[in-house]
Amino acid sequence: TVSKGRGRLKLFSDGLKHDMTHTLNDLFQRLSQVHTLQFESRSLNGSKMDWNCSGAGHTEAVLSDSLLTFHDHFRLDNGRPCHDKKQWQLADGALIFAHYRNQIFEPIFTFRTADGVMVADRPYACMPDDYFGELAWHGDNIIFTIKIIGSRKNELIRYVYR
């Protein structure tokens, strides 16, 4: 289940232990080395979306001028091909995440370490929905989780990058 604690969403309730011995610089360096991804989306209680799917594919990570750009290419279990662009940047003691939409990279989350996890410092509002983000590093895996809550949505999206 997903619960709110101290004003933040706890996205991982499956017993994963976060390895917080890594710095943001370590995480950025590890992100620059990813090549594959696994994708999973789940509609939770009360959702009207039926976003229950998974997939796998590859990621091209391109570092240029301190910006790390991901070009994700994966196929869902229903056969549908998906393409996505993401961007990561270290700035002011934080890791900035941007998503490519409307022909630009739009800043979505600013990740900082809090309560032993790397969480977005505030939700991203895309009316009528709020997006919450969390990053975790487990062994070779970087896990990027997005929780979406709105009038019709209660979704959990997870990317596992290797």
Side-chain angles (χ1 to χ4, degrees):
T1 61
V2 176
S3 63
K4 286 189 180 182
R6 289 188 239 178
R8 298 193 187 279
L9 274 181
K10 181 174 177 155
L11 300 180
F12 293 102
S13 57
D14 52 11
L16 287 176
K17 299 293 183 198
H18 301 280
D19 183 354
M20 294 312 297
T21 61
H22 302 290
T23 67
L24 284 173
N25 287 332
D26 294 336
L27 179 61
F28 188 79
Q29 178 64 29
R30 178 63 188 103
L31 282 168
S32 72
Q33 299 168 359
V34 302
H35 298 289
T36 64
L37 73 91
Q38 289 182 304
F39 171 85
E40 178 182 20
S41 64
R42 293 288 168 245
S43 290
L44 305 175
N45 289 338
S47 172
K48 309 281 190 268
M49 304 310 294
D50 192 26
W51 286 1
N52 297 304
C53 58
S54 60
H58 69 277
T59 297
E60 179 187 2
V62 178
L63 182 60
S64 177
D65 297 326
S66 76
L67 291 173
L68 178 61
T69 304
F70 277 14
H71 300 273
D72 293 345
H73 304 274
F74 58 101
R75 186 171 297 277
L76 297 177
D77 50 11
N78 63 10
R80 180 178 166 219
C82 295
H83 309 281
D84 197 17
K85 293 182 192 177
K86 300 174 178 72
Q87 207 164 62
W88 307 89
Q89 181 178 25
L90 286 172
D92 300 323
L95 182 62
I96 311 298
F97 167 75
H99 186 248
Y100 191 78
R101 57 184 295 210
N102 302 319
Q103 306 301 313
I104 62 167
F105 280 101
E106 181 179 345
I108 305 294
F109 296 128
T110 300
F111 288 101
R112 298 182 194 282
T113 302
D115 298 329
V117 293
M118 208 164 293
V119 294
D121 61 0
R122 66 180 160 274
Y124 171 76
C126 183
M127 299 311 283
D129 306 317
D130 287 323
Y131 289 62
F132 300 82
E134 182 173 300
L135 281 170
W137 184 347
H138 301 283
D140 291 337
N141 299 330
I142 302 295
I143 303 167
F144 178 31
T145 304
I146 302 168
K147 171 75 171 139
I148 307 167
I149 299 175
S151 59
R152 299 184 67 231
K153 295 178 185 172
N154 187 13
E155 317 304 321
L156 190 65
I157 298 171
R158 183 171 290 162
Y159 295 85
V160 178
Y161 290 101
R162 291 186 185 93

